[in-house]
Amino acid sequence: MPVFNQSRSRVIQIIFAVVFIAIVGQLINLQLFSSKYKLAADNNAFYRKVVYPDRGIIFDRKKRGILENTISYDLVVIPSEARATDTAALCNLLGIDTATYKRRMRDLIFKNTSVKPSVFEALLTPEMFARLNENMYRFPGFSLNERSVRTYPYNVGAAILGYMAEVDTSFLRRHKDEGYEMGDYFGRTGLENTYEKVLMGQRGIKRYIRDNKGRLQGAWENGDFDTAAVAGKNLYSSIDVELQELGEKLMENKVGSIVAIDPQTGGILCMVSAPTYNPNYLTGNQRKKHLTEMLYFDPRLPLLNRTLGTTYSPGSTFKTLVGVIGMAEGAIDDQMTVSCSGAYFGCGRRMGCHARGTFTLKPAISKSCNSYFAVAYRRILDNPKLPNRDSSLSLFNQYAYSFGLGRKLGVDLPSELNGNIPTPGYYQKIFGKNWQSCNIISNSIGQGEIGTTLTQLANAMAIIANKGWFYTPHLIDSIEGGDEYGLLEKFRVKHKTRDIPEFVFEEVHEGMQGTMEFGTGAYAKVPGVVVCGKTGTVENAYRGEKLKDHAFFGGFAPRDNPRIAIAVMCENAGYGATSAAPIASLLIEKYLKDSITGADRKAKVAQISNMNLIPPQMKRKMAERDSARAASSRKASRDTTEPSTEEEGRATAYMDFPDPVYPPAPGKPAPAKLLVHPLIAEDPYKRNFKRNIPA
């Protein structure tokens, strides 16, 4: 045979061999490895129903359920079996068009294949469930699946409890070995997120056999291969839901936060971020709509947890730590006196002060004398026992870190910030290596570059109450059935500050008690309770515009056996004594006495609740949003020959209520450029305030 023909024969043989190997390989793949056709065949013969477990319940400190479950239903589809569905009828029932139907189907097939069940419409309303249930025979490939969903009996604690979100492909990739499937929900924020492993439980599976027409004929193998759903574990928290309710009531129409801690355990008693929202808005089939509204169109930023996710200059509340550190290091003592004429001029420029007179440490705390603490801070930094100011500031910072400042505490909630305790290296970059104590004198009164979260401030008050020790603040005390994953171990560790003599704390306690009896907090006394407190006022500006000061308060009670440490801040509220301190006073009374007693105290609750302290820049943006929506509503009504009664009612209700709780905007949505708020792009509450010297 010619060489040419031999070569050509060899090529043909190779081609046939390659084709044969490819066919055999594909047969092996289909028979042994690929599950595609097996799933399709199984779906023809069996129906696999997912049984979603109840998530764990969260209880408050008195075993009251603050996060529970209720039953809802999902409309589930296997796309490969839905070809004979009466699409028009289904779209009519769901209130969607056929284009939306096709788009959803494409998305489900892309994400989860055509042979696996996927959620077509989640969390049906009772009315929608009833309508669909009567017509399911018209929709082959579709079924109704029962699901346990969250409910919030007290309508409080949104920032603490968090909300659920549906898993997406990126989540499944990150958690591919944890048993999640498309259509599942997970804890997106709050305790739902932190304790997801504990709360989620395990899904169950029920298998039913089908006849040749796809009708269910009963359990497969008498249910021997079914798996039962396992409910998630319950969590027992330190939250006092009545205290939380009162805190949220007192913070209505305000921007700020409250954190109260049991100093003996580190358990958080209440944690209020204001403005807040009804957590039930982020359940049900309107969840995405409400989430979009709050995330993009509400300038008050209700989803921002201001207890952990924002930092502020703590103002005069920080003076307590300056006093403790100064005494501990011997830079000052209880006999040192400073005379104040209403300002401090020791750094060559005026630093204003509301106090006048000659003060030692205790009255300086009680009257909040800026001059005294400016002198004390300079003595700490200019300490001749240390080589230089860098060493002095580093030592000061070590004390601050031991008080839980400048670093994350490790609270059992996501999105906690570090705060800021500025370092010598930071100041060297600004002022050079030979920087002076006068360069940073604002830090002495808790302004300048000092930044804390409110939880850090509340924890610092707990440390002062305990005279030098604390447990990491936390919300969950115990887990039903035990702490399988060791999530609570770090909350059992007792932390201590640097070595500080007890008499130092006694001096500071005495000054803080004086604050509440005859000093700046006397307006906020708690009848029959010895409270130690410290007010604070922090200068505030937004984009160059001088605004009303932020109001702070930090304290604990009772002095001899502290059971509650608390920090309160209200933005744009003026003096701490007129807003933050009274709020703390009422919460202390509620917790220690279990009620607010006396007509004058109850009147104080109503008075503070009715105070509107929304910052002016927010009010402007809210007005712009409402104007845009009103204009959109008017245009929509002109475009419609005759509005329905329902639309007209919605529009009227909206116009009568200038600050609505996320009502649906009637008609067409306003253009995004009119509604998107600049604070979303540049959030001033997530940035430290620039250093400033009080005038």
Side-chain angles (χ1 to χ4, degrees):
M1 181 181 293
V3 175
F4 172 77
N5 289 339
Q6 288 180 350
S7 176
R8 186 169 62 178
S9 174
R10 180 69 63 186
V11 171
I12 293 172
Q13 289 173 357
I14 292 172
I15 291 172
F16 272 98
V18 169
V19 171
F20 177 77
I21 291 170
I23 292 172
V24 171
Q26 180 64 2
L27 287 172
I28 293 172
N29 176 57
L30 292 174
Q31 292 290 329
L32 300 179
F33 302 109
S34 175
S35 60
K36 177 180 178 182
Y37 293 103
K38 182 180 184 301
L39 283 171
D42 286 348
N43 284 334
N44 286 332
F46 306 105
Y47 173 67
R48 176 180 177 273
K49 181 178 181 180
V50 176
V51 181
Y52 290 99
D54 287 342
R55 282 179 74 87
I57 296 171
I58 300 179
F59 296 93
D60 86 333
R61 61 189 295 270
K62 295 182 179 178
K63 306 298 186 292
R64 295 169 289 200
I66 55 177
L67 176 52
E68 298 180 345
N69 299 303
T70 189
I71 298 300
S72 186
Y73 289 86
D74 293 340
L75 180 63
V76 176
V77 63
I78 300 175
S80 63
E81 300 178 10
R83 295 186 179 90
T85 283
D86 186 343
T87 305
L90 181 61
C91 289
N92 185 52
L93 284 173
L94 294 177
I96 61 176
D97 54 30
T98 54
T100 301
Y101 175 90
K102 292 176 181 177
R103 176 178 53 78
R104 287 192 190 180
M105 280 295 194
R106 284 196 302 269
D107 291 345
L108 294 178
I109 292 170
F110 175 76
K111 293 177 181 177
N112 206 30
T113 78
S114 64
V115 295
K116 290 184 179 180
S118 300
V119 176
F120 186 83
E121 181 82 8
L123 306 174
L124 302 170
T125 63
E127 296 79 10
M128 181 66 72
F129 169 76
R131 289 200 298 269
L132 286 169
N133 198 36
E134 292 177 355
N135 292 274
M136 288 307 295
Y137 68 93
R138 304 166 66 183
F139 313 130
F142 285 85
S143 60
L144 294 168
N145 245 20
E146 185 179 289
R147 179 193 292 276
S148 175
V149 297
R150 294 310 224 174
T151 183
Y152 305 82
Y154 292 91
N155 298 334
V156 297
I160 301 170
L161 300 172
Y163 62 87
M164 305 288 292
E166 188 174 353
V167 302
D168 54 21
T169 52
S170 63
F171 180 90
L172 291 175
R173 281 196 298 270
R174 294 195 306 271
H175 303 269
K176 60 182 179 181
D177 298 323
E178 297 178 24
Y180 291 97
E181 295 181 0
M182 289 301 298
D184 287 352
Y185 281 73
F186 73 103
R188 180 75 176 181
T189 62
L191 293 175
E192 293 273 31
N193 177 274
T194 303
Y195 293 95
E196 170 69 10
K197 281 184 179 180
V198 175
L199 292 168
M200 67 180 290
Q202 296 178 12
R203 288 187 308 276
I205 301 293
K206 287 186 179 293
R207 294 173 175 83
Y208 299 91
I209 195 166
R210 302 177 189 260
D211 63 13
N212 60 349
K213 294 185 178 179
R215 295 172 297 195
L216 299 183
Q217 298 299 303
W220 180 57
E221 296 291 340
N222 296 318
D224 290 344
F225 295 94
D226 292 348
T227 56
V230 179
K233 293 182 179 181
N234 298 331
L235 304 180
Y236 296 92
S237 77
S238 54
I239 289 292
D240 185 316
V241 71
E242 292 182 359
L243 196 68
Q244 183 76 22
E245 284 182 310
L246 178 60
E248 293 193 10
K249 178 180 176 66
L250 294 171
M251 291 298 289
E252 287 178 0
N253 295 313
K254 300 170 187 66
V255 176
S257 51
I258 302 169
V259 178
I261 298 173
D262 181 343
Q264 303 303 313
T265 66
I268 295 173
L269 304 172
C270 80
M271 184 177 253
V272 177
S273 176
T276 185
Y277 60 93
N278 184 335
N280 284 297
Y281 288 153
L282 295 187
T283 62
N285 63 355
Q286 296 297 303
R287 184 187 68 84
K288 289 183 179 179
K289 178 180 180 181
H290 291 150
L291 184 61
T292 299
E293 168 69 25
M294 289 189 284
L295 190 59
Y296 296 111
F297 303 123
D298 192 332
R300 298 171 300 179
L301 309 179
L303 293 174
L304 175 61
N305 185 350
R306 290 175 166 85
T307 66
L308 291 166
T310 58
T311 61
Y312 300 88
S313 298
S316 293
T317 58
F318 191 71
K319 293 173 182 175
T320 56
L321 270 71
V322 173
V324 167
I325 297 170
M327 289 272 287
E329 280 301 303
I332 62 172
D333 58 32
D334 58 349
Q335 301 301 314
M336 186 190 86
T337 60
V338 173
S339 295
C340 178
S341 61
Y344 177 70
F345 295 97
C347 285
R349 58 186 184 278
R350 183 180 186 275
M351 182 169 74
C353 180
H354 300 296
R356 292 174 182 269
T358 299
F359 300 100
T360 57
L361 176 62
K362 289 181 286 192
I365 292 174
S366 302
K367 295 293 186 179
S368 198
C369 177
N370 288 352
S371 297
Y372 182 93
F373 290 98
V375 171
Y377 190 64
R378 290 189 66 191
R379 286 196 174 193
I380 294 170
L381 296 184
D382 298 336
N383 190 342
K385 297 178 183 178
L386 296 173
N388 50 47
R389 292 183 185 87
D390 287 351
S391 301
S392 298
L393 182 58
S394 294
L395 180 60
F396 182 92
N397 289 356
Q398 290 303 316
Y399 278 100
Y401 297 148
S402 74
F403 275 82
L405 304 182
R407 298 172 179 175
K408 292 180 181 178
L409 287 168
V411 181
D412 48 351
L413 286 177
S415 305
E416 181 184 4
L417 297 184
N418 286 316
N420 187 48
I421 298 295
T423 64
Y426 177 82
Y427 289 125
Q428 286 177 9
K429 292 178 182 178
I430 298 175
F431 303 112
K433 291 184 177 180
N434 296 319
W435 61 273
Q436 304 295 314
S437 56
C438 278
N439 295 141
I440 61 173
I441 196 64
S442 288
N443 292 356
S444 66
I445 58 173
Q447 298 201 172
E449 288 77 28
I450 301 293
T452 67
T453 68
L454 199 77
T455 304
Q456 289 174 336
L457 182 58
N459 186 60
M461 293 297 115
I463 294 171
I464 293 173
N466 291 334
K467 301 177 183 177
W469 61 268
F470 71 101
Y471 290 103
T472 299
H474 57 277
L475 289 151
I476 299 304
D477 284 335
S478 63
I479 300 172
E480 181 183 44
D483 185 13
E484 178 183 357
Y485 302 104
L487 298 175
L488 305 182
E489 289 178 2
K490 65 179 180 179
F491 305 130
R492 309 286 184 256
V493 178
K494 190 174 185 178
H495 304 279
K496 294 184 178 180
T497 63
R498 290 177 64 92
D499 188 25
I500 299 172
E502 185 172 322
F503 80 87
V504 172
F505 289 105
E506 287 290 350
E507 287 289 310
V508 173
H509 286 194
E510 193 73 23
M512 293 176 72
Q513 182 177 339
T515 297
M516 305 305 293
E517 292 183 354
F518 58 83
T520 56
Y523 176 68
K525 289 180 182 178
V526 179
V529 179
V530 178
V531 179
C532 295
K534 184 71 195 78
T535 58
T537 305
V538 177
E539 290 190 342
N540 171 38
Y542 174 64
R543 293 183 177 176
E545 177 186 358
K546 179 71 174 71
L547 301 176
K548 203 172 182 181
D549 294 337
H550 296 324
F552 278 80
F553 178 86
F556 59 90
R559 176 180 173 179
D560 292 336
N561 181 28
R563 293 171 51 202
I564 181 172
I566 191 168
V568 180
M569 79 83 53
C570 295
E571 292 187 19
N572 292 81
Y575 293 117
T578 59
S579 55
I583 289 172
S585 166
L586 291 165
L587 290 170
I588 289 171
E589 180 178 355
K590 170 65 178 173
Y591 182 69
L592 296 180
K593 297 185 175 182
D594 206 36
S595 62
I596 303 295
T597 57
D600 59 331
R601 298 291 285 173
K602 292 178 180 178
K604 180 66 69 177
V605 171
Q607 175 194 349
I608 294 176
S609 299
N610 292 328
M611 290 170 59
N612 190 326
L613 299 175
I614 297 293
Q617 72 273 16
M618 282 191 181
K619 289 182 179 179
R620 288 195 295 268
K621 295 303 176 182
M622 290 163 67
E624 291 173 13
R625 176 198 63 184
D626 294 346
S627 297
R629 283 183 168 171
S632 177
S633 177
R634 288 193 295 271
K635 184 178 184 300
S637 63
R638 287 196 300 270
D639 293 343
T640 307
T641 54
E642 187 172 345
S644 68
T645 304
E646 182 183 359
E647 288 172 337
E648 188 175 353
R650 284 206 308 263
T652 303
Y654 182 78
M655 296 305 291
D656 287 345
F657 190 28
D659 186 17
V661 185
Y662 320 121
K668 299 177 181 179
K673 65 180 181 180
L674 293 177
L675 290 179
V676 173
H677 182 251
L679 292 183
I680 300 297
E682 183 185 356
D683 179 6
Y685 306 103
K686 289 185 178 179
R687 292 181 286 115
N688 290 329
F689 289 93
K690 293 182 179 179
R691 59 190 316 275
N692 44 63
I693 305 293

